[in-house]
Amino acid sequence: MATRVLHCMGNGLKQTRGGGTTPVNRQATALIRNLCASSTRHREDSWFKSLFVRKVDPRKDAHSHLLAKKEESNLYKIQFHNVKPECLDAYNKLCEDVLPSIHADPHYPCELVGTWNTWYGEQDQAVHLWRYRGGYPALTDVMNKLRQNKEFVDYRKERGKMLLSRKNQLLLEFSFWNEPVPRPGPNIYELRSYQLRPGTMIEWGNYWARAIEFRQQNSEAVGGFFSQIGDLYMVHHLWAYKDLQSRENTRNAAWQHDGWDEVVYYTVPLIQHMESRVMIPMKSSPLK
């Protein structure tokens, strides 16, 4: 419509060009200038806004399929139990009596990867990491069988009296991390948890696929996971160190590698929240 208006006004101006200007012509000229300026501002505004439009390549596969290991169908469950301070010793003893028997029983397609108490971070807390070989069907199988296990049912009832709160998440492991396997101790473990901005998991995986090469030389890398159920866009990195000083030395040494600073620079903006727990293995933990 604006184009037709400009065309008609242009013809009118041509017809009166030899006869000077009239009030009508002056009004027409002003209107044309306003329309042209408005069109220019619109183009500039659209161009400016386009700088902030996030362009995403179309994908035909879920993020979990792109990031997780293809050759295995392992599913992980991480549990966080906040224990009443006066019950922590009794809680640990209860876990040590029951959890290893489930881990060792071939009737259950699951393994206790590690079980810890938080040393630095949220206090009076226990963290358990389970692996289900066979994915969701294995998880369902274990849950159904445990409902018929009287020892486990009694364990849950007794455990409930000792807890202030609890939560869990279901996780997959990143394809570029090694699978966590039992290791001798004594070690301390650091669980670094990152809440990412929605939509940035692929970027995180791309950078850390390279970054992990800088952090495997001292065998400190234990496992890397991302959430599927529970808190979403959640990443957990699990590290092992001999003590707090070796942790400090190892982390500082990473900055001597070319490329580590670039990884940190580009991944920090992807994070909404991050948390570090330093944990001590329980006696029954396969990760000592």
Side-chain angles (χ1 to χ4, degrees):
M1 178 178 178
T3 304
R4 290 199 300 270
V5 170
L6 291 174
H7 179 72
C8 293
M9 289 183 173
N11 289 338
L13 288 177
K14 287 178 182 177
Q15 294 172 4
T16 60
R17 187 169 296 166
T21 62
T22 68
V24 173
N25 290 338
R26 287 196 296 272
Q27 291 175 2
T29 303
L31 179 57
I32 291 172
R33 288 174 179 170
N34 288 336
L35 287 172
C36 291
S38 175
S39 177
T40 302
R41 285 196 301 270
H42 177 72
R43 290 196 301 272
E44 291 176 350
D45 186 54
S46 298
W47 173 83
F48 183 73
K49 287 181 178 178
S50 71
L51 296 177
F52 300 95
V53 174
R54 184 182 179 87
K55 293 184 172 58
V56 179
D57 294 332
R59 296 188 179 278
K60 302 298 183 182
D61 211 350
H63 287 181
S64 59
H65 293 166
L66 297 171
L67 294 169
K69 294 181 178 179
K70 303 293 190 301
E71 67 276 9
E72 299 171 349
S73 57
N74 291 337
L75 180 70
Y76 289 81
K77 178 172 70 176
I78 192 167
Q79 300 172 300
F80 300 97
H81 291 171
N82 293 317
V83 186
K84 296 176 182 177
E86 67 273 15
C87 297
L88 188 59
D89 290 340
Y91 171 90
N92 288 345
K93 179 65 167 58
L94 185 65
C95 290
E96 291 164 4
D97 290 342
V98 177
L99 299 187
S101 63
I102 298 172
H103 168 79
D105 192 338
H107 184 62
Y108 300 100
C110 65
E111 304 162 8
L112 183 63
V113 176
T115 179
W116 304 268
N117 288 132
T118 300
W119 184 22
Y120 288 102
E122 193 161 355
Q123 297 294 281
D124 304 308
Q125 185 181 71
V127 180
H128 309 292
L129 182 63
W130 293 87
R131 175 169 49 227
Y132 298 86
R133 295 195 183 276
Y136 292 105
L139 172 68
T140 302
D141 185 26
V142 171
M143 294 298 100
N144 290 335
K145 289 175 178 177
L146 287 178
R147 291 191 186 98
Q148 310 303 319
N149 184 327
K150 184 179 184 305
E151 182 185 33
F152 183 78
V153 172
D154 292 342
Y155 155 78
R156 288 198 64 179
K157 289 180 180 177
E158 190 64 25
R159 185 189 69 184
K161 303 173 186 177
M162 304 177 182
L163 298 183
L164 294 170
S165 65
R166 62 192 178 99
K167 72 173 183 177
N168 58 25
Q169 297 169 9
L170 294 181
L171 315 170
L172 296 177
E173 56 186 330
F174 284 110
S175 60
F176 45 85
W177 280 74
N178 293 328
E179 180 179 296
V181 295
R183 64 172 63 198
N187 295 294
I188 63 170
Y189 289 81
E190 182 178 17
L191 182 67
R192 296 179 70 87
S193 302
Y194 304 90
Q195 180 71 61
L196 302 186
R197 299 183 183 280
T200 62
M201 188 67 73
I202 293 293
E203 293 176 70
W204 181 274
N206 287 340
Y207 284 114
W208 268 95
R210 299 191 298 272
I212 195 64
E213 299 175 6
F214 306 135
R215 298 294 308 276
Q216 290 181 322
Q217 295 164 359
N218 297 320
S219 300
E220 73 265 24
V222 178
F225 315 92
F226 59 99
S227 63
Q228 290 291 283
I229 296 178
D231 292 335
L232 298 180
Y233 287 100
M234 197 80 189
V235 170
H236 299 287
H237 291 174
L238 184 61
W239 310 92
Y241 306 100
K242 290 301 179 185
D243 50 41
L244 288 175
Q245 186 58 55
S246 66
R247 170 190 176 275
E248 180 75 3
N249 296 341
T250 300
R251 288 176 55 80
N252 288 339
W255 290 94
Q256 307 306 313
H257 296 284
D258 290 338
W260 176 253
D261 56 341
E262 180 181 348
V263 169
V264 174
Y265 179 83
Y266 284 109
T267 55
V268 166
L270 308 180
I271 301 170
Q272 286 187 320
H273 175 74
M274 59 188 296
E275 183 177 5
S276 170
R277 293 175 176 86
V278 175
M279 310 181 300
I280 303 296
M282 293 187 191
K283 294 178 182 179
S284 56
S285 178
L287 287 169
K288 302 297 186 184

